[in-house]
Amino acid sequence: PNASHASSAIRRKALKKNMDVILGALATKKATPVSLRDLYRMGQDPSLRFHHAQFLHREVPIRVSQRVMELKCLPFKLSESYGVREVIDNYTSYVLDLLTMDIPQDENDLDMFQRYMQYLLADNTEVVQTMALGVIQSRRDIKQQEQDDFGRLVDLVLVRFFTARIGLRFIVEQFVSSADYKAGFAGVIESFCNPVHIAQRASEDASQLCKQHKGVAPKVHFITPKANTLDDLHFTYIPHHLHYMLTEMLKNSMRATVDTHYREDEKSLLPPIKIVFVAGSEDITIKVIDEGGGIRRSEMKAIWNFFHSTAEAPEATDGLTTSAEMGHWLDVLKERQNREIGGASVPQSALAGYGVGLPLSRLFARYFGGDITLSSMEGFGTDTYLHIPRLGSNCEALPEPVQQSPGELDSTYKPYPGFTPY
C-alpha cells in the first residue's frame, strides 16, 4: 500500500506539471454518446457496474476537460473573474484526481471509485452559484454599450455549459444510485414516475417557501381530466428533474399571485393556482395556471435569458457587487442547487432572484427532448406548459424528440457564434 501510494503521488506530481497540455489533449477527444437504453440497463443490472465505472473513469475527464478549455477561452475577461476561475480550478482538480486513480479492476477499486463519484456530485453542487458570481463580477466591468453583447454571449455560454453539466451529472448519478437497489428504479430513472405525486411535493415545498417570504401562499388545485387516469399518467422519467422544474414554475406563479392580489391591510382572497395533467401519445403535458397579473409581451423573450427576473433584485449603487447582493445570490443559487440534487426537504432561503430558475428548468426539460413554454395575458395571469416526452417503455422505443435530444446524443449543443476552438 505504501509503495502504491508513493507511486500515485509521483504520478500526480508529474501530471500536475503538464495539466494545461493534458487538458487540451483530452478536450479534443469526442464525448462518447451513451444511450438512455444503455444507461437504464447499467442502472438495473449490478453485473454492469464495473463496465459503467470503467466508462466513467475514461469519459468524465474528457467531458470535464472540454468545459475547462471552453471556460478558459471566454471573451470579456470572463475567465479571469473569481467565480469562473474557481470553477476552472475545481474542474481541473477532478481531472487530475481521476487521472491519478487506477481504472477500477476489483471490488476495492470499485468502492473507492464509487466514493469519489459521490464526492464529485456533492462538491459540484456549487458550480451554478460560483459561475453566477463570476458573471456578476464581470458584468460590473462591462461598458454600457457592450452590455447587450455581453448578455447574449453569457446566455449562449451558459446554455452550452449547463446542458453539458446536466449530462455529466446524470451519467454519474446513474452510477452512484445504481449501487443501492430501489424498487421501480434503475439508478435515478423511475419506470413508473407519477407526475401528480411529484407535483404535490413540489407544491408543498414552494408553498412553504412562499409563506416564509410573503406570509401567505395561494392554494394549489390538481386537475386530471377524466380521460386521463393516474395510470395513464405514469411514465418513465427522472423524478428529481421533474421536481426541480415544477418547483421553479410554482415558485414563480405563487410569488406573482401574492404580489398581485395580497394586501396586508385587507383580508385578500388569493386565487388558486391550477395544475392540469394530460397524457398524450408522445408527451405528458403539465400546465400551471395562475392569475398573477401576467407578463408584458415586450418581456416574453427576455424571461428565458439567464439573470433576467421579473422579481426585484438588490442593486449595487457604487458599480460594485455589494455584500448584500452576493449574499442574495448565495441564498438563491444554493436553494436551487438543493432542488436540482433532489433535496426537496431542505428549507429554502429565497423565493425569487436573478432569473436562473426558469431558463435552467427549460434546459432540464430540453435535455430529453421536452420543453417549457409560456402563454401570458398581461393584466390577468400566465399559463406555463411543461412538455415531457415519455422515455419509451423503460427507455426502449424512444420517441423522435428524445432520439434527437442532447440526452440521447452527446450532451452538448453546437458551438455558439464566436466560439474560439481550444
Side-chain angles (χ1 to χ4, degrees), residues 104-158:
Q105 299 288 355
D106 56 33
E107 290 295 337
N108 287 335
D109 292 344
L110 188 63
D111 180 64
M112 182 179 296
F113 189 77
Q114 165 82 8
R115 284 186 279 118
Y116 186 79
M117 289 294 102
Q118 290 173 321
Y119 157 76
L120 188 149
L121 284 174
D123 191 59
N124 197 240
T125 57
E126 301 295 320
V127 166
V128 174
Q129 166 188 318
T130 48
M131 282 287 287
L133 292 174
V135 172
I136 289 176
Q137 183 185 22
S138 296
R139 186 170 59 185
R140 297 293 184 196
D141 299 328
I142 300 299
K143 297 175 182 178
Q144 187 60 40
Q145 61 267 31
E146 295 180 332
Q147 286 286 340
D148 288 345
D149 288 341
F150 178 79
R152 281 192 291 270
L153 175 74
V154 165
D155 280 322
L156 290 165
V157 168
L158 293 186

Side-chain angles (χ1 to χ4, degrees), residues 279-294:
S281 60
E282 185 174 276
D283 288 352
I284 299 290
T285 301
I286 303 172
K287 178 166 72 167
V288 177
I289 306 167
D290 70 58
E291 297 179 28

